[in-house]
Amino acid sequence: MAYTIKKWKLADLFPGYDSPELQAAFDNVEEEVASFEGVRGKLKPDMDADQFMEVVRASESTTRIVNRIYAFAGLSFASDTQDQAAQSLLGRVQQFAAEMQNRTLFFSLWWKDLDEANAERLMSNSGDYRYFLEEMRHFKPHTLSEPEEKIINLKDVTGTGALVTLYDAITNRYVFKLQVDGEVKEMTRSELMTYVQGTDPDLRARAYQELYRVYSEDGPILGQMYQTRARDWHNENISLRKFANPMSVRNLANDVPDEAVTALLEVTKKNARIFQRYFKMKARQMGLERLRRYDIYAPVAKSEKPFEYNAAAEMVLESFTAFDPKIGELARRVFEQDRLDSEVRKGKQGGAFCASINPEDTPYVLVNYTGKARDVATLAHELGHAIHAMLASHHSAFTFHSSLPLAETASTFGEMMLTEKLLSEETDEAVRRDILFKQMDDAFATILRQVYFALFEREAHAMIQKNASVDEISAAYMENLKEQFGDSVELSDEFKWEWVSIPHIYHTPFYVYAYSFGQLLVFSLYQQYKAEGESFKPKYLKILSAGGSEAPAKILSDAGIDISSTKFWQGGFDVLSRMVDELEKIPAAV
Ligand SMILES: [Zn+2]
C-alpha cells in the first residue's frame, strides 16, 4: 500500500459536533456522576472489597466516556484552531469536566484518608487498579479538606489557569519580521525558528535577535506573570500543602524519588563539558573560531535532501519491523485506520503529538509533514508513542498511560532505530555527517538544555520568595547560560530574555527534566540492546507494556536499572562522550 498525506478520521470517535451520539455521551456522564454521588454513604472503612471494586469500576467507566469526549474536542480543535465550533466544544468540555470533578471529589478524599490496614485490604483485591489507588494515597499528607479542595479547583480556573491562558494569548499573537532575500517577511515564532537551523549565518543571528527583540519588549510584563505563577505555586504547594520544596511537587506527581531527580541534575551538571567539547568540535567542522549561540543548531553540511512521504513512512515502518515485526504491525495500524493527520494546512496546530485515548483505541497522531529529514524523525517519534500505548492496552483506563518519566522511552527509541537504518543505507558522506551531528544537537536540546531550565526554575522560585526583580532573574538566567556553555559558545546579551519565552515553565513548573530523564534512559537502553542483541528485546517490550501500571522506578528496576544511582545516569553520558569521540574522527568538509 502506498502511504499518502492526509487528514485523520475523527468520525470514529463521534460523527459530528451536533450528533446525537455526542449529546448522549454528555448525558451518560451526567447520569453516571449522579449515580456515583449515591455511593457517598456507602464508603465505610470496613466495606466489602467487591463493593469497593464496583465503585472503582464505576469511576473508570465515567473516565472512559470523558476521555472520549475530551479527545474529540481536543483533536477537532487541533485539526483547525480557527474553527469556532471546535473552540466552543472545547470550552464546554473543560467546564463540564471541572464540574464533574468537583462532584466526585469526595471519593478520592475518602480513599486518601482511609486507614492503612483497610486500604491495604481493599488494594490487595484490586488487580490492575492497585498502582492507581496506591499513587492517589501518596498525596495524603498534602491533601486539604473537601471545601478547600473545591475552592482551589474553582479559583484555579480564573486564577492560575487564566494567567497561563493570558500568557499564551499574548505570546501567540506575536508577529516577527525578518528580511529574507531582500524582502521583509512577517512570520510566526515557529516559522522564524526554521532560520536558526539554516545555512546562512547572518540569517541565524537576525532570527534570534528578532525573537528576543519582540519578547524583551514585553519582558517586564511576562516576567511579572512568571513571578505570580511562582508565588501561587509556593502559596498552594508549600504553605498550604506542605511540600518540602517546589520541585518535589512534580517529583511526587511523576512518582520519582527526590534522590533520583537530584542524581539526574547533578550528574548532568558535571557532564556539561561533553557538550562544550562537542560545540568546540562543531565549530572546527564548520571552519569557525568559536560558535556563537546563534550557530548551535546550524547544519554542518549543505544537504537538504527532501524525503517523499511514502518513502518516509516505509522507512519508519521498516526500521520498526526490523527490531520486532509486532512493533511494525502496530505502527502500520495507525496509518491503516486513518489515525494519522500528516497534512500541512492553515489553522492546523503546529508541531506534532500523539493522543492515546482509552486502552482499546488506536491512538491518534498529528504531524506537519514537509519532507525535511526532521519530519521523518518526528514521524518515528510520534509512532513510538502510539506503540507504547498499544502495547499497554491490556491495562485499565487509569493505568495504561505511561507516567511522565517513561513517556519518552518508546518515542526516543523509535528515533534511534530510524537513525540506525538511515546510517546503514546512506552512502553520501555529507548526509551521513549531518545525520550524526543532528543527533548530538538533539541530545543537547533534550538533555543539557532541559536540565539547565530545571536548575534555573529552582533558583528563580527561590529568588522570587526573596522578592527578586525581573532584571535580577534575567541576570541569574544569564549566569545559568554561562555555566551551561562555559567558554565553548559566545553568548550575546539578548539571551537573558530566553526564560520568558519558555511556555513549559509557566504551564507546568519543573516538567522539563522529564525530557532529560527519557533521553538518557534511552541511550542507556540502546547500549544494552547493542550489547545483548535479541535477549534485550523481551526486556524492552516488558518496560513498554507495563504502561503506567507500576511506579517508574519499579518498572525499570525489573529491567535491572537503578534510577537513584549516579552510575546509571553517568552511563548515558558515557554513550554521548563516545559519540563525540566518533564525530571527532570525521574529517571536516571544509
Ligand atoms: Zn514525545
Side-chain angles (χ1 to χ4, degrees):
M1 131 175 207
Y3 299 103
T4 50
I5 291 189
K6 48 174 142 167
K7 259 176 107 155
W8 51 26
K9 205 169 86 199
L10 296 182
D12 287 351
L13 292 170
F14 292 101
Y17 300 136
D18 300 319
S19 64
E21 288 87 343
L22 181 58
Q23 186 52 47
F26 276 105
D27 296 344
N28 217 335
V29 172
E30 280 272 7
E31 281 158 29
E32 291 198 10
V33 167
S35 123
F36 194 84
E37 284 175 310
V39 309
R40 193 173 189 136
K42 294 180 194 148
L43 298 175
K44 303 262 162 57
D46 61 351
M47 78 189 286
D48 179 65
D50 292 333
Q51 203 187 6
F52 172 74
M53 282 316 294
E54 270 173 41
V55 177
V56 174
R57 284 201 194 91
S59 158
E60 188 195 10
S61 158
T62 313
T63 301
R64 276 173 190 273
I65 312 173
V66 173
N67 285 351
R68 239 179 138 74
I69 302 178
Y70 236 121
F72 181 65
L75 297 177
S76 301
F77 180 70
S79 254
D80 184 0
T81 58
Q82 305 304 304
D83 179 355
Q84 293 203 16
Q87 264 174 350
S88 73
L89 177 64
L90 190 58
R92 177 184 171 194
V93 177
Q94 282 165 344
Q95 176 76 27
F96 180 75
E99 282 167 18
M100 296 303 124
Q101 202 202 343
N102 266 2
R103 281 172 64 184
T104 53
L105 196 61
F106 67 90
F107 173 67
S108 64
L109 293 176
W110 173 81
W111 172 246
K112 281 188 264 188
D113 208 34
L114 185 62
D115 67 275
E116 204 56 51
N118 274 308
E120 193 43 58
R121 177 179 63 86
L122 294 174
M123 278 195 291
S124 65
N125 186 44
S126 64
D128 194 59
Y129 298 95
R130 187 190 169 98
Y131 177 61
F132 165 71
L133 293 167
E134 215 174 72
E135 213 199 359
M136 238 197 279
R137 285 175 62 84
H138 293 167
F139 286 85
K140 180 177 175 170
H142 310 291
T143 300
L144 309 172
S145 69
E146 185 171 357
E148 288 171 309
E149 290 290 349
K150 282 183 170 171
I151 291 172
I152 290 179
N153 273 350
L154 280 181
K155 294 305 261 181
D156 273 353
V157 175
T158 49
T160 290
L163 182 77
V164 170
T165 308
L166 197 56
Y167 171 83
D168 284 345
I170 292 174
T171 54
N172 279 317
R173 209 172 60 142
Y174 288 157
V175 177
F176 303 91
K177 295 183 183 121
L178 191 65
Q179 188 174 342
V180 185
D181 301 328
E183 188 194 331
V184 178
K185 289 187 182 164
E186 293 197 340
M187 50 188 90
T188 63
R189 179 178 177 171
S190 40
E191 287 169 318
L192 180 74
M193 285 297 99
T194 62
Y195 292 96
V196 312
Q197 295 181 38
T199 49
D200 180 343
D202 176 52
L203 214 46
R204 289 198 294 265
R206 284 193 289 112
Y208 271 121
Q209 286 157 2
E210 173 64 4
L211 177 70
Y212 295 122
R213 181 191 67 77
V214 173
Y215 271 91
S216 71
E217 277 182 359
D218 279 346
I221 295 173
L222 301 176
Q224 198 184 354
M225 295 173 109
Y226 184 73
Q227 288 169 323
T228 309
R229 179 73 171 108
R231 276 191 200 280
D232 180 74
W233 189 260
H234 189 96
N235 289 345
E236 179 181 335
N237 294 306
I238 311 291
S239 306
L240 296 174
R241 298 192 186 276
K242 313 289 180 209
F243 278 95
N245 65 67
M247 203 186 280
S248 54
V249 185
R250 179 70 52 215
N251 299 348
L252 189 67
N254 289 345
D255 199 9
V256 175
D258 284 351
E259 311 88 74
V261 178
T262 308
L264 164 67
L265 298 182
E266 291 310 315
V267 173
T268 306
K269 246 165 86 167
K270 256 189 16 217
N271 284 282
R273 61 197 152 73
I274 296 176
F275 289 98
Q276 294 167 5
R277 180 158 72 93
Y278 168 68
F279 288 131
K280 287 179 182 172
M281 188 260 297
K282 187 169 175 176
R284 286 196 298 278
Q285 283 275 336
M286 294 174 69
L288 299 167
E289 185 84 5
R290 187 153 79 128
L291 290 188
R292 303 167 302 169
R293 173 61 185 79
Y294 309 130
D295 303 319
I296 65 174
Y297 300 120
V300 288
K302 288 191 180 183
S303 74
E304 264 310 308
K305 194 173 111 179
F307 292 86
E308 192 252 318
Y309 184 71
N310 183 52
E314 290 287 6
M315 214 148 50
V316 172
L317 291 172
E318 276 167 28
S319 73
F320 285 9
T321 304
F323 180 82
D324 186 325
K326 186 177 159 201
I327 292 204
E329 207 35 64
L330 291 174
R332 192 161 286 131
R333 206 188 288 170
V334 178
F335 287 93
E336 283 168 0
Q337 296 184 358
D338 282 336
R339 299 288 165 118
L340 205 160
D341 195 319
S342 47
E343 192 182 46
V344 179
R345 58 180 182 272
K346 213 173 145 228
K348 176 178 161 179
Q349 186 172 321
F353 65 77
C354 169
S356 39
I357 305 162
N358 282 320
E360 65 276 14
D361 297 309
T362 302
Y364 281 89
V365 168
L366 177 144
V367 298
N368 283 273
Y369 193 82
T370 62
K372 300 250 163 61
R374 187 68 246 154
D375 295 331
V376 189
T378 302
L379 199 56
H381 183 103
E382 301 307 335
L383 287 169
H385 280 303
I387 287 160
H388 198 164
M390 288 152 106
L391 285 172
S393 66
H394 53 293
H395 295 291
S396 74
F398 292 139
T399 51
F400 86 109
H401 239 282
S402 89
S403 63
L404 196 58
L406 287 179
E408 295 298 335
T409 314
S411 55
T412 315
F413 204 89
E415 282 193 68
M416 300 277 276
M417 293 192 283
L418 175 71
T419 304
E420 183 109 317
K421 181 171 168 66
L422 288 177
L423 287 172
S424 73
E425 288 171 4
E426 187 59 66
T427 49
D428 183 336
E429 272 311 310
V431 180
R432 287 179 61 87
R433 221 153 54 96
D434 209 31
I435 293 171
L436 289 166
F437 273 85
K438 272 212 181 85
Q439 207 179 15
M440 269 312 285
D441 291 348
D442 287 349
F444 161 74
T446 46
I447 299 172
L448 195 69
R449 183 171 153 82
Q450 304 299 330
V451 160
Y452 272 85
F453 283 161
L455 293 168
F456 165 73
E457 284 185 277
R458 196 163 71 177
E459 194 185 356
H461 275 249
M463 287 175 76
I464 288 163
Q465 280 308 303
K466 293 180 183 148
N467 309 306
S469 69
V470 171
D471 281 345
E472 284 163 345
I473 301 171
S474 287
Y477 187 73
M478 209 57 187
E479 287 308 309
N480 172 292
L481 288 179
K482 279 180 193 155
E483 190 189 322
Q484 186 179 158
F485 290 108
D487 63 352
S488 67
V489 166
E490 195 183 314
L491 285 167
S492 27
D493 194 48
E494 66 270 24
F495 283 90
K496 72 178 179 204
W497 288 113
E498 185 173 23
W499 64 284
V500 300
S501 77
I502 309 161
H504 269 118
I505 69 172
Y506 286 79
H507 283 254
T508 323
F510 305 104
Y511 176 95
V512 290
Y513 73 72
Y515 288 116
S516 328
F517 191 111
Q519 178 89 55
L520 284 169
L521 173 65
V522 167
F523 276 134
S524 134
L525 287 174
Y526 211 79
Q527 271 319 95
Q528 282 191 29
Y529 169 43
K530 294 278 101 178
E532 297 167 11
E534 283 303 312
S535 67
F536 166 83
K537 292 179 180 175
K539 207 159 71 177
Y540 174 67
L541 294 176
K542 196 175 159 219
I543 293 176
L544 298 189
S545 56
S549 63
E550 304 230 47
K554 168 80 169 60
I555 294 173
L556 292 171
S557 78
D558 286 351
I561 292 166
D562 174 9
I563 55 170
S564 291
S565 98
T566 51
K567 212 176 124 224
F568 164 69
W569 297 112
Q570 187 56 47
F573 284 103
D574 294 345
V575 176
L576 282 163
S577 185
R578 283 196 294 275
M579 280 165 66
V580 179
D581 292 343
E582 284 305 307
L583 286 172
E584 269 175 340
K585 290 181 200 152
I586 301 176
V590 196

